Amino acid sequence: MKSPIFLGAKSDEPIPPSSPVMTGRARGHSAAMVFVQGMSQTGSGFQIPHLSEEIESRSPKSSPSIHPTSAPPRKSSTPGILLLGSTSLIEITDENGNIIKKELTFLSQLKTLIESRLFVLVVLGLSSLYFVVTCIQYWMTVYLIEIVHTPKVQVLTAFAVTALTAPTFGVISGGIFIDKIGGYQNTTRCLIVLMVFAVIAFGLSIPAGYILDFWTVIGLLWFVLFFGGSILAPATGIILRSVPQEVRPFASSMSMLMYTLLGYSAGPVITGLIYEYFGIIWCVRVGLFWGIFGFLFLFFALIYSIVTDRKVVKSASTIEVFVSSVPQ
């Protein structure tokens, strides 16, 4: 069995393999220590260029020691808290039993995420999706009551059923469909499917902003939320697969931060300003039409994935030709 990996914010002593997995809150600050079994190559093959790395053979008589190549880590007064300029050490054991030691800082992990174009594009695409969903939740009931002139009880009942069932069935169906075609390991194929879902969702949102028949609008909203939910699970898998394994906990946290800032928070603020100056009709239309940004970001992610795949195939072909030309 492969030895575990320790990922923590404070580790200047050897970490025994039996250390427990801890996730908790220390003195009002969040801290997480995560075990990950083995080391796997990420799908996109991104590397962190500035991480110090040292490989040493495992000795059964002594625990591995830490030898930072830069200045000693700056430590926080609270255990488990990673400061902006501090260093976090992880230990990874490869298949040959060698210990690979890497130093990670907050800024180095942030730089890795920014340099991962696939991560950035898909996160922005999902943020647009959350923007649309938040606007629907905030304004659609008011729109149906005031503009479509539907009784309040009927609006609340139909909208509650729609908001409950459509995203739930969408998430389940999207995950099952992606598994049927091979999962999100094939990033390009998965992004093509997500593009189809995004096109359908955006296409249905356009008439939903103009039609004034209650049940037609509810039906369109149901399918908009269904196909939007179908995007969620595969896109989340692509996001985590697009970054190195050691920064995935950080990537998950940063993606949630972006969803909150650009989706859940930006949606009510922007559409609220539109409501003040242009009224409820354009407020709802802008909220629904915002899905065009999600489509564009996923489209750019697909183009990037295709270009990356072609480079990998070309490099592999070059190596194969070179190897075949070497005399036996």
Side-chain angles (χ1 to χ4, degrees):
M1 181 180 295
K2 298 179 181 179
S3 301
I5 303 167
F6 177 79
L7 175 59
K10 179 182 179 182
S11 176
D12 52 357
E13 297 179 1
I15 305 302
S18 60
S19 298
V21 177
M22 300 173 61
T23 302
R25 186 170 294 275
R27 302 181 186 177
H29 298 280
S30 297
M33 299 180 185
V34 183
F35 274 103
V36 184
Q37 295 294 330
M39 182 178 69
S40 63
Q41 180 72 15
T42 62
S44 55
F46 290 106
Q47 301 294 331
I48 305 178
H50 57 281
L51 296 179
S52 59
E53 179 177 306
E54 182 181 359
I55 301 178
E56 103 178 278
S57 300
R58 178 184 295 274
S59 173
K61 297 182 181 180
S62 61
S63 299
S65 57
I66 297 171
H67 306 285
T69 57
S70 56
R74 183 162 63 91
K75 299 174 184 175
S76 167
S77 59
T78 303
I81 300 302
L82 177 62
L83 299 177
L84 265 177
S86 62
T87 303
S88 173
L89 185 93
I90 62 170
E91 290 187 0
I92 303 174
T93 303
D94 62 14
E95 297 179 354
N96 298 324
N98 298 320
I99 299 175
I100 304 173
K101 285 172 274 191
K102 295 183 178 181
E103 293 175 11
L104 297 176
T105 66
F106 176 89
L107 294 179
S108 70
Q109 294 180 85
L110 183 61
K111 183 174 183 291
T112 300
L113 297 187
I114 294 174
E115 290 176 346
S116 175
R117 295 180 179 86
L118 193 60
F119 173 86
V120 173
L121 291 171
V122 178
V123 166
L124 291 176
L126 281 184
S127 298
S128 303
L129 170 64
Y130 290 125
F131 185 103
V132 174
V133 171
T134 305
C135 292
I136 291 176
Q137 293 174 342
Y138 264 78
W139 302 109
M140 190 52 67
T141 53
V142 178
Y143 175 82
L144 292 173
I145 294 172
E146 295 183 0
I147 305 302
V148 185
H149 305 294
T150 307
K152 183 176 181 180
V153 175
Q154 183 178 350
V155 169
L156 295 180
T157 302
F159 185 79
V161 173
T162 300
L164 177 64
T165 59
T168 303
F169 290 142
V171 170
I172 296 174
S173 302
I176 293 175
F177 184 79
I178 291 297
D179 285 340
K180 292 293 185 181
I181 64 172
Y184 54 80
Q185 285 77 10
N186 189 325
T187 303
T188 300
R189 182 190 302 171
C190 187
L191 283 170
I192 292 174
V193 174
L194 297 187
M195 279 286 300
V196 174
F197 291 160
V199 168
I200 296 175
F202 176 68
L204 294 174
S205 68
I206 296 176
Y210 289 93
I211 296 176
L212 297 180
D213 179 72
F214 173 75
W215 290 111
T216 303
V217 174
I218 287 294
L220 291 172
L221 287 179
W222 196 96
F223 283 104
V224 169
L225 295 175
F226 174 83
F227 285 104
S230 300
I231 295 173
L232 181 59
T236 303
I238 293 175
I239 287 172
L240 294 180
R241 188 175 172 79
S242 65
V243 297
Q245 183 172 330
E246 57 265 26
V247 300
R248 287 178 185 175
F250 183 78
S252 178
S253 301
M254 292 303 298
S255 63
M256 291 302 299
L257 176 63
M258 298 305 295
Y259 301 154
T260 301
L261 294 178
L262 302 179
Y264 300 125
S265 298
V269 172
I270 294 176
T271 54
L273 292 174
I274 295 174
Y275 175 78
E276 288 292 328
Y277 291 99
F278 301 99
I280 186 66
I281 295 179
W282 278 106
C283 168
V284 169
R285 288 176 180 174
V286 169
L288 290 172
F289 300 166
W290 200 268
I292 186 64
F293 293 107
F295 164 77
L296 291 175
F297 286 127
L298 290 178
F299 175 75
F300 294 142
L302 175 61
I303 297 301
Y304 176 77
S305 180
I306 293 175
V307 172
T308 302
D309 288 348
R310 288 182 177 178
K311 288 181 179 179
V312 171
V313 172
K314 185 177 180 179
S315 298
S317 301
T318 303
I319 294 174
E320 183 178 355
V321 170
F322 175 77
V323 172
S324 61
S325 64
V326 175
Q328 299 294 331

